[in-house]
């Protein structure tokens, strides 16, 4: 599916959610006719068709996981590596830093809550610092608090936010294990910085962000499973 079709699909679905009453409800208003109606109306009911969720599911399954140097890994190996990093950080008293840009800040903030409240990991949310007026504020925070053995997780749909790129590179220079969640272009710069990278193969920002929500939540669930198996 091309970017125009992906965007058209999203517009069609969301226009249907926002307005069931209009004559174009659920229809992409696109001169190329790149998509068809996703809501069907009749005299008694409105039925919802789910191409958005099917596409999202396909994109999650197609997520490209890579290690250092963008060496391909299986999804299973990638999650094993991520969960191992998180649990080792907890066991050894290290911290997990989280940072995101744009809408991805809310995803990072949610993961921070899960790490802290659900897994008991010492997590530090840098998301609230990304709008600081001081140009190098994020880097100063990281230099004061981070170091070898800590984990740095960066989330950005396009992987091209300059301040996040600078901070992520610094995390690597400080000896931290860097994990990135990106999408849109496989050549985005943030993807190449990570020791462990999850790249969503979609060019639609909304699909990438939705996939990141699922992927980061699965990391928490996988860590919980790991924890219970150890306890048992």
């Amino acid at each position: 599916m091309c970017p125009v079709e992906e965007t058209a699909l999203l517009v069609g679905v969301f226009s249907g959610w926002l307005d069931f009453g209009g004559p174009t409800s659920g229809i992409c208003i696109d001169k190329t006719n790149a998509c068809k109606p996703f809501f069907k109306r009749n005299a008694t009911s409105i039925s919802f068709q789910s191409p958005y969720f099917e596409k999202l599911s396909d994109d999650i399954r197609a997520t490209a996981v890579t290690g250092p140097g963008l060496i391909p890994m299986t999804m299973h190996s990638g999650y094993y590596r991520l969960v191992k990093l998180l649990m080792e950080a907890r066991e050894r008293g290290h911290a997990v830093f989280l940072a995101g840009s744009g809408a991805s800040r809310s995803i990072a903030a949610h993961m921070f809550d899960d790490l802290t409240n659900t897994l008991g990991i010492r997590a530090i949310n840098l998301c609230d610092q990304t709008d600081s007026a001081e140009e190098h504020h994020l880097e100063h925070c990281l230099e004061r608090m981070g170091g070898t053995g800590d984990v740095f997780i960066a989330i950005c749909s396009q992987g091209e936010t300059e301040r996040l790129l600078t901070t992520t590179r610094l995390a690597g220079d400080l000896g931290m294990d860097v994990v990135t969640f990106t999408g849109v272009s496989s050549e985005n710069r943030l993807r190449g910085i990570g020791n462990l990278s999850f790249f969503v193969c979609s060019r639609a920002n909304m699909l990438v962000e939705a996939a990141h929500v699922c992927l980061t939540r699965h990391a928490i669930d996988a860590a919980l499973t790991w924890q219970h198996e150890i306890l048992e």
Side-chain angles (χ1 to χ4, degrees):
M1 182 177 290
C2 71
V4 171
E5 290 175 320
E6 287 186 308
T7 302
L9 182 152
L10 291 167
V11 171
V13 172
F14 286 113
S15 66
W17 281 344
L18 294 173
D19 176 25
F20 284 105
T24 59
S25 177
I27 301 176
C28 169
I29 304 175
D30 181 82
K31 293 180 180 179
T32 63
N33 291 319
C35 69
K36 299 177 181 179
F38 297 116
F39 290 88
K40 290 187 176 181
R41 297 192 60 173
N42 57 41
T44 59
S45 66
I46 299 174
S47 63
F48 175 63
Q49 297 178 353
S50 58
Y52 171 84
F53 298 104
E54 291 169 3
K55 182 66 173 66
L56 176 59
S57 176
D58 290 343
D59 287 341
I60 292 172
R61 290 190 180 95
T63 295
V65 184
T66 53
L70 297 180
I71 297 174
M73 303 174 65
T74 64
M75 182 75 87
H76 175 81
S77 297
Y79 268 103
Y80 178 83
R81 172 64 175 155
L82 175 55
V83 171
K84 191 169 186 286
L85 286 174
L86 296 177
M87 301 311 287
E88 286 182 348
R90 188 182 71 172
E91 292 164 7
R92 297 172 183 176
H94 294 299
V96 176
F97 292 80
L98 297 112
S101 64
S104 298
R105 287 182 295 177
S106 63
I107 302 173
H110 192 176
M111 191 176 191
F112 161 79
D113 287 340
D114 285 337
L115 289 170
T116 303
N117 299 324
T118 304
L119 293 174
I121 293 175
R122 184 165 68 93
I124 298 172
N125 180 13
L126 296 175
C127 297
D128 293 337
Q129 310 296 328
T130 54
D131 288 333
S132 171
E134 184 183 346
E135 183 178 358
H136 300 292
H137 184 69
L138 273 178
E139 297 96 287
H140 293 161
C141 288
L142 202 60
E143 286 175 336
R144 289 196 302 268
M145 298 183 289
T148 302
D150 292 330
V151 180
F152 184 88
I153 298 177
I155 307 171
C156 182
S157 58
Q158 296 189 31
E160 293 292 344
T161 302
E162 290 295 341
R163 294 186 72 180
L164 186 57
L165 285 165
T166 300
T167 307
T168 306
R169 291 191 187 99
L170 175 61
D173 292 341
L174 292 172
M176 302 172 70
D177 288 298
V178 175
V179 182
T180 64
F181 290 85
T182 64
V184 183
S185 170
S186 61
E187 297 180 358
N188 76 75
R189 289 177 289 169
L190 186 61
R191 183 189 184 201
I193 300 174
N195 305 113
L196 179 61
S197 167
F198 294 83
F199 170 74
V200 178
C201 303
S202 172
R203 297 183 66 82
N205 279 344
M206 283 184 284
L207 283 170
V208 172
E209 290 165 359
H212 285 168
V213 171
C214 297
L215 292 168
T216 52
R217 178 60 217 187
H218 180 59
I220 302 300
D221 292 339
L224 279 172
T225 300
W226 175 301
Q227 176 178 275
H228 292 158
E229 288 177 350
I230 291 176
L231 292 176
E232 291 173 358

